[in-house]
Amino acid sequence: MPLRGLSVFPGMLLNFDVERPMSVAALNIAMGEDQIIFLTAQKDMTKDIPFLNDIYKIGTVCRIRQTLRQPSGKTVRIMVEGIGRGRIGSLITDSPCLYAEIEPVPDIEEKRSVKIEALMRRCVSLFGQYAEASGNMPPEHLINLAASTNPAYISDFVAQNVYLKPEEKQSLLEELRPSRRLARLCALTTRELTLLG
């Protein structure tokens, strides 16, 4: 399912509305099967019916956790949980929605080092400042983040919850080294803190 201006990161929950007929069809098919759906961002948000060249090849395999049909009947609010990164192997443009073969794209394993530990601490600290400045993050989320020792989780959590341009989120989704994601997030979060200030 192509998304406009959104990215979902592995291990994260996201709520959004589904309106387009092709997206509602994809949702219905996934709900009738195993509740697994592949979500990827559109390159151009104005395109109403995107095809292979209009969407990013790397996205997230997600489990649909909840659906809620709006009274109007045209919009469905859904909650998804990111399972893992994936890449479109082949796309079948068949009605009523897009079907794709998805190849898993796991993170590159990195040895724990002082550098990674420092990046994790810096990223968590910057995100704490960002959450305080923006005022839209429950304190328990920050406690869970600070307690984590997983660089992939920390980078994906911060990437999901900091306001960034869609193309910046996509570049973070495509980066398979957690240490590089953390370093990039430190720079991006510092910029956002400056803007908030």
Side-chain angles (χ1 to χ4, degrees):
M1 179 192 303
L3 300 176
R4 287 176 163 151
L6 288 176
S7 292
V8 185
F9 286 82
M12 302 299 121
L13 292 172
L14 186 69
N15 291 300
F16 58 93
D17 291 333
V18 178
E19 291 181 6
R20 288 187 283 196
M22 69 182 295
S23 296
V24 172
L27 180 62
N28 290 336
I29 290 167
M31 289 302 291
E33 299 282 329
D34 53 8
Q35 300 183 339
I36 301 294
I37 193 164
F38 180 71
L39 303 177
T40 187
Q42 281 183 221
K43 295 175 184 175
D44 179 4
M45 287 189 277
T46 60
K47 194 116 183 185
D48 233 16
I49 302 175
F51 291 105
L52 185 58
N53 294 337
D54 306 315
I55 58 177
Y56 290 104
K57 293 227 188 319
I58 291 185
T60 307
V61 176
C62 295
R63 174 171 283 109
I64 301 164
R65 297 282 297 269
Q66 194 175 45
T67 61
L68 178 65
R69 299 209 179 269
Q70 302 295 342
S72 66
K74 292 184 179 180
T75 305
V76 183
R77 174 151 279 243
I78 70 169
M79 177 194 284
V80 296
E81 178 184 13
I83 297 172
R85 287 170 171 76
R87 178 185 290 116
I88 296 173
S90 63
L91 189 71
I92 304 158
T93 52
D94 196 10
S95 63
C97 61
L98 301 175
Y99 291 90
E101 282 186 26
I102 306 300
E103 304 161 1
V105 184
D107 277 333
I108 294 169
E109 288 290 324
E110 296 179 303
K111 285 185 181 174
R112 293 301 292 268
S113 65
V114 174
K115 179 184 175 186
I116 289 176
E117 185 67 33
L119 282 168
M120 285 167 45
R121 287 185 187 182
R122 177 83 177 129
C123 202
V124 168
S125 170
L126 286 167
F127 182 72
Q129 293 171 47
Y130 174 86
E132 190 178 316
S134 63
N136 61 359
M137 181 64 55
E140 59 270 16
H141 287 317
L142 293 173
I143 293 166
N144 291 341
L145 185 66
S148 177
T149 57
N150 182 341
Y153 173 79
I154 290 171
S155 62
D156 288 340
F157 183 93
V158 173
Q160 187 74 69
N161 290 289
V162 170
Y163 176 80
L164 300 171
K165 294 174 187 166
E167 57 272 15
E168 291 170 336
K169 286 205 178 205
Q170 184 63 33
S171 74
L172 289 166
L173 191 62
E174 292 179 6
E175 177 53 67
L176 301 180
R177 290 184 184 275
S179 62
R180 289 185 185 168
R181 283 202 302 272
L182 287 166
R184 180 110 174 86
L185 275 164
C186 286
L188 291 168
T189 309
T190 300
R191 180 198 71 195
E192 289 304 311
L193 277 168
T194 305
L195 290 171
L196 282 171

